[in-house]
Amino acid sequence: MSSTAAVHQDDHHHEPVRGWRRWVFSTNHKDIGTLYLLFSLAMFFVGGAMAMVIRAELFQPGLQVVEPDFFNQMTTMHALVMIFGAVMPAFVGLANWLIPMMVGAPDMALPRMNNWSFWILPFAFAMLLSTLLMDSGGPAGGWTLYPPLSLQGGNSFAFVIFAIHLMGFSSIMGAINIIVTIFNLRAPGMNLLRMPLFVWTWLITAFLLVMVMPVLAGAVTMLLTDRYFGTSFFNAAGGGDPVMFQHIFWFFGHPEVYIMILPAFGIVSEILPTFCRKPLFGYVSMVYATASIAFLSFIVWAHHMFTVGMPLGGELFFMYATMVIAVPTGVKVFNWVATMWKGSMTFETPMLFAIGFVILFTIGGFSGLMLAIVPADFQYHDTYFVVAHFHYVLVTGAVYSIMAAAYYWLPKWTGNMYSEKLGKLHFWLSTITVNILFFPQHFLGLAGMPRRIPDYSVEFAEFNLWSSIGGFAFGLTQLIFLYIVLKASFGKRTQELPDRVWEGAKGLEWTVPTPAPHHTFEQPPELRDEDLAHGDVAH
């Protein structure tokens, strides 16, 4: 009996296997987190290449580069790849790496399921991207896949639906794993109100994922049966209702927007206090604000549908409910600014991205409030104003926070400090070019340019020219980020970094050696007040 136990102990402590087997069969949360992050980085460049096709076509009026049908395939695939392939897997990768270290857990609660939830993704995206090579081409109905347009595609449609199902499986498994880990594997003394805010935002996000992913699965399955099995859920000729699809889709789609931004709130709430050298202002109010945003996200879905002919009462309800979401979001922005107020701030690269996030995300939030107003939305709907709004939220919001997290935790992960000069160059070039890319789109929308069109009137030419130049420059700038990440990950270690890489960084992940060992917290760590990210609010 004792020898069996000893063998088990040895097995647990061994170093990772070398070669490909380590990555394919790994159940280690750090390895799986790394796989997610690398996959997300690859998809970021694939989705970015599709965006470059879109901007090349829109560089000048007239049909320049691609056929209209292929242009529509690019707009649809760009969105699917960026949302399900770049942003969401990046946040799940960060959760895998950081949540066990932040709560003092030895690993994720369900390690084999963790491995499976990652390895589904490459197959799902291989299936999705393969549709571009099929006779009928990829999906071309926009990422929302509205019928009847989406049902007029070719036989690649079934591949798209099954790929979306696989992505949904992956997300649900990842979310369940995160919930179980946070509830069951916290270190003794780590009660809920002592958890870092990143852990809180992910706990709430995981519940959102479990609740809304099955809704998307239902909607796309109904599309599938309409297309291949003769049902008429959304076919008006058979008694169905295409607007019903919009209701079901957006009941998933609006919480999905918050799934892509709540972890970003958590990241920024970890980074700002470190470089301000003071605790986060209003920790408890941040937790309640996050929970409020998650709850409200379920009751605002039809603000995407003001133009479908809703009754006035419905329009008023969804308008006011959408405006209410600005309150907890405003609390968050206020708390971030108050954290910076009179702090001893320094401006390392993670801090620059975090401040960029706060300012530019807030711009995206304001344009969202404009879209919430029903009569105004009648004008903005389906124009480039909407495109500008959600890219400010998702690029300078979600993507900026992922980059901030990469710069902040990369030295802890790899043991290598990146070049601050290059990091700052990446930040400033990104910030200048991303505004040249998306800010003119507000004016295009206000002037009436519809979204998802490959050709446009001459009056829109100048702003589109600027937007395309900004797009190409922003895309090229990301090669600096790629270089920094690869150099830190694979370069020789030139210096010994302290455990607490950033002076003033709080949290259990900064108590483990740098680079983080393969296994952490064999014994539950003891919690000390200086390791808590926000002082001790529990007492």
Side-chain angles (χ1 to χ4, degrees):
M1 182 74 184
S2 59
S3 66
T4 318
V7 169
H8 178 75
Q9 266 321 91
D10 288 346
D11 185 52
H12 184 65
H13 285 282
H14 72 78
E15 279 306 300
V17 238
R18 298 277 163 219
W20 61 271
R21 297 172 71 85
R22 169 181 175 179
W23 301 101
V24 174
F25 299 119
S26 180
T27 51
N28 180 282
H29 72 98
K30 299 184 185 75
D31 284 354
I32 294 169
T34 303
L35 286 170
Y36 267 112
L37 290 167
L38 290 174
F39 175 79
S40 135
L41 189 63
M43 287 296 117
F44 178 62
F45 282 100
V46 170
M50 293 170 176
M52 294 302 95
V53 173
I54 295 167
R55 287 312 331 165
E57 180 54 65
L58 295 172
F59 189 68
Q60 288 181 307
L63 293 177
Q64 318 285 328
V65 185
V66 292
E67 291 298 313
D69 184 51
F70 187 72
F71 180 87
N72 288 343
Q73 291 174 40
M74 285 292 98
T75 55
T76 306
M77 292 288 268
H78 163 70
L80 291 171
V81 167
M82 284 302 202
I83 290 168
F84 296 109
V87 173
M88 287 172 69
F91 282 136
V92 179
L94 290 168
N96 261 297
W97 247 105
L98 298 169
I99 287 175
M101 286 163 66
M102 286 177 160
V103 300
D107 206 310
M108 295 296 275
L110 306 163
R112 287 170 194 260
M113 189 164 92
N114 205 11
N115 174 294
W116 195 29
S117 71
F118 170 75
W119 280 109
I120 285 175
L121 282 180
F123 293 96
F125 279 89
M127 190 183 288
L128 181 66
L129 294 169
S130 72
T131 59
L132 292 171
L133 306 173
M134 296 178 189
D135 288 346
S136 53
W143 85 278
T144 52
L145 303 172
Y146 279 0
L149 183 60
S150 62
L151 296 174
Q152 292 162 11
N155 286 326
S156 63
F157 186 68
F159 285 78
V160 175
I161 299 301
F162 281 116
I164 290 170
H165 273 301
L166 289 176
M167 296 166 206
F169 283 143
S170 170
S171 295
I172 290 169
M173 288 196 292
I176 289 170
N177 212 343
I178 286 164
I179 292 168
V180 177
T181 303
I182 294 171
F183 280 147
N184 291 343
L185 295 187
R186 297 195 308 279
M190 171 78 71
N191 62 29
L192 290 175
L193 282 178
R194 287 175 126 184
M195 297 194 310
L197 240 144
F198 178 72
V199 180
W200 257 115
T201 53
W202 241 118
L203 178 65
I204 291 165
T205 301
F207 275 108
L208 284 181
L209 274 167
V210 170
M211 287 189 273
V212 301
M213 277 322 217
V215 178
L216 175 67
V220 296
T221 304
M222 289 153 90
L223 278 181
L224 191 76
T225 59
D226 271 13
R227 177 81 167 75
Y228 294 103
F229 298 105
T231 56
S232 290
F233 290 113
F234 310 126
N235 179 1
D241 183 2
V243 174
M244 180 171 76
F245 176 84
Q246 296 190 29
H247 280 291
I248 301 169
F249 179 87
W250 284 115
F251 189 78
F252 146 79
H254 202 78
E256 168 64 22
V257 173
Y258 290 98
I259 286 164
M260 291 190 285
I261 204 67
L262 291 182
F265 292 167
I267 289 165
V268 169
S269 303
E270 297 297 322
I271 292 172
L272 287 178
T274 297
F275 297 103
C276 295
R277 274 102 184 146
K278 54 184 279 209
L280 182 72
F281 182 89
Y283 168 86
V284 177
S285 65
M286 288 293 244
V287 173
Y288 283 120
T290 308
S292 308
I293 290 169
F295 169 73
L296 290 168
S297 75
F298 280 100
I299 58 168
V300 295
W301 77 88
H303 67 208
H304 298 268
M305 302 167 50
F306 283 147
T307 56
V308 301
M310 259 191 287
L312 181 63
E315 287 178 340
L316 287 171
F317 169 81
F318 286 108
M319 175 169 80
Y320 294 137
T322 305
M323 288 175 153
V324 168
I325 278 199
V327 177
T329 311
V331 168
K332 285 187 161 304
V333 174
F334 177 85
N335 286 6
W336 289 324
V337 173
T339 303
M340 291 188 271
W341 180 254
K342 293 195 174 175
S344 305
M345 288 166 67
T346 52
F347 299 98
E348 287 87 346
T349 311
M351 182 64 163
L352 289 176
F353 272 99
I355 295 171
F357 169 94
V358 173
I359 295 167
L360 297 169
F361 170 77
T362 305
I363 291 174
F366 277 130
S367 60
L369 268 177
M370 293 169 70
L371 289 161
I373 299 163
V374 177
D377 185 75
F378 281 9
Q379 300 300 315
Y380 306 139
H381 188 76
D382 266 345
T383 69
Y384 260 79
F385 189 86
V386 180
V387 177
H389 155 69
F390 68 71
H391 281 91
Y392 265 89
V393 172
L394 288 178
V395 179
T396 60
V399 174
Y400 260 45
S401 75
I402 291 162
M403 288 172 175
Y407 284 112
Y408 186 58
W409 282 290
L410 199 61
K412 171 58 76 180
W413 297 339
T414 63
N416 275 337
M417 182 51 86
Y418 57 86
S419 155
E420 271 293 342
K421 269 188 183 168
L422 275 182
K424 287 177 175 170
L425 179 70
H426 173 227
F427 169 76
W428 285 111
L429 285 176
S430 292
T431 302
I432 293 163
T433 55
V434 83
N435 282 294
I436 295 171
L437 166 54
F438 293 121
F439 207 79
Q441 293 180 6
H442 291 102
F443 303 116
L444 286 169
L446 292 173
M449 180 175 164
R451 62 198 276 199
R452 296 185 191 149
I453 55 163
D455 188 11
Y456 52 86
S457 163
V458 180
E459 65 183 295
F460 304 128
E462 193 171 348
F463 278 138
N464 267 303
L465 178 81
W466 278 108
S467 194
S468 287
I469 291 169
F472 292 126
F474 181 72
L476 283 170
T477 301
Q478 302 323 307
L479 295 173
I480 301 173
F481 180 63
L482 181 66
Y483 172 77
I484 289 169
V485 169
L486 294 178
K487 188 167 187 291
S489 305
F490 300 109
K492 271 191 177 167
R493 204 164 304 142
T494 50
Q495 64 186 105
E496 284 298 313
L497 293 178
D499 293 351
R500 211 172 288 276
V501 176
W502 305 106
E503 182 203 340
K506 297 283 179 73
L508 285 175
E509 76 268 31
W510 303 107
T511 63
V512 304
T514 304
H518 194 59
H519 289 292
T520 38
F521 302 129
E522 303 284 339
Q523 300 297 322
E526 278 184 37
L527 246 60
R528 297 171 308 185
D529 280 357
E530 58 264 35
D531 295 331
L532 294 172
H534 40 78
D536 191 354
V537 297
H539 306 301

